[in-house]
Amino acid sequence: MKHLIIVGVGGLARETYWNAKSSLGFNEDWDMKGFLDGDVKLPETEYQKLEMPVLGNVSSYRIEEYDVFICAIGNPAVKKRMTDLLEERGAHFISLIHETAIVHGNVELKPGCIVFPWCSVHDHSQIGKHVLLGNRVGIAHDCTVGDYSCLMGSVGLCGNVQVGEGTYWADGALALPHAKIGDKAYVGVRSVVFKRVKAGQTVFGNPALPIPRSEELHE
């Protein structure tokens, strides 16, 4: 029996806790062990909202033989930093796929992914490591999503969309067929990408157009 540890203590981590209870493999291959402080430490009163104990922080926690991990941090850059620290010390990450999600049999889903309720990932798509797919995300055939990317609720990727590493997609964003999105791009809420977003760009609107980049969106 493996013991699941959720990296992060914020709202996304709490959502992940509840979704994990309805994910494939729960009560069969693993059970719940606790949270780890990631990039933030909450006020003491906030820890009362957590349904599991906080075991320590990413840097100081002593990894045990049957521990497995999932990182529930929405900021791609912070998520990479936290998972790198743990993987360097031998941590094993698993993926959580909610029982209501549809993932076609020939999809490549790398370790550390979180697939929330009512998602669908279709034929021959490739999802990188430590990718978050929020509620009702839809990914059509032959898409690729780079490592550490976060696609929040109701994001949609049409067929053959290519998404780089470390991207962030706010709720309801959409990419049309064959669109290409560069590394570390930020796609604003309900924005529609027609063709291309350059690496590092922040875009917003329909059609999605570049806007001045606010570091507060990413840090």
Side-chain angles (χ1 to χ4, degrees):
M1 177 72 74
K2 302 295 186 181
H3 306 302
L4 178 66
I5 298 171
I6 298 174
V7 180
V9 291
L12 180 59
R14 285 184 277 121
E15 287 186 43
T16 299
Y17 165 80
W18 291 108
N19 287 328
K21 287 179 169 289
S22 299
S23 293
L24 304 178
F26 184 69
N27 288 329
E28 298 174 9
D29 301 322
W30 44 270
D31 59 13
M32 310 287 279
K33 184 173 183 179
F35 295 95
L36 289 183
D37 284 314
D39 57 321
V40 296
K41 182 174 176 61
L42 298 177
E44 290 301 321
T45 55
E46 288 295 303
Y47 285 98
Q48 297 173 9
K49 297 180 181 179
L50 303 179
E51 301 290 329
M52 293 195 300
V54 177
L55 305 172
N57 61 56
V58 167
S59 298
S60 64
Y61 177 73
R62 182 177 178 181
I63 299 172
E64 299 183 348
E65 181 179 1
Y66 295 106
D67 288 344
V68 294
F69 296 81
I70 195 77
C71 186
I73 294 174
N75 182 307
V78 174
K79 177 163 54 175
K80 183 179 188 307
R81 188 162 69 247
M82 297 297 104
T83 55
D84 282 352
L85 284 171
L86 286 165
E87 288 175 335
E88 287 169 1
R89 296 167 51 214
H92 174 66
F93 283 83
I94 64 168
S95 291
L96 293 180
I97 303 173
H98 194 270
E99 63 186 5
T100 62
I102 298 171
V103 179
H104 286 179
N106 55 11
V107 166
E108 180 183 353
L109 193 77
K110 291 187 177 178
C113 292
I114 304 175
V115 183
F116 268 32
W118 310 111
C119 288
S120 59
V121 187
H122 291 183
D123 182 77
H124 279 98
S125 285
Q126 300 178 45
I127 311 300
K129 65 180 182 179
H130 301 299
V131 169
L132 168 69
L133 304 181
N135 293 326
R136 299 184 183 278
V137 165
I139 297 178
H141 62 87
D142 299 295
C143 292
T144 62
V145 179
D147 299 344
Y148 310 106
S149 291
C150 291
L151 283 65
M152 307 311 285
S154 299
V155 166
L157 305 183
C158 297
N160 292 284
V161 170
Q162 310 298 306
V163 176
E165 180 178 310
T167 66
Y168 185 94
W169 298 68
D171 292 65
L174 175 67
L176 299 186
H178 299 279
K180 298 183 185 300
I181 295 86
D183 295 345
K184 300 182 180 179
Y186 184 106
V187 183
V189 63
R190 296 189 178 278
S191 297
V192 180
V193 177
F194 277 63
K195 291 184 178 181
R196 183 179 295 274
V197 177
K198 294 180 180 179
Q201 275 189 331
T202 294
V203 297
F204 182 79
N206 181 3
L209 297 174
I211 62 173
R213 189 179 183 93
S214 170
E215 292 306 320
E216 293 180 358
L217 296 175
H218 307 275
E219 298 297 337

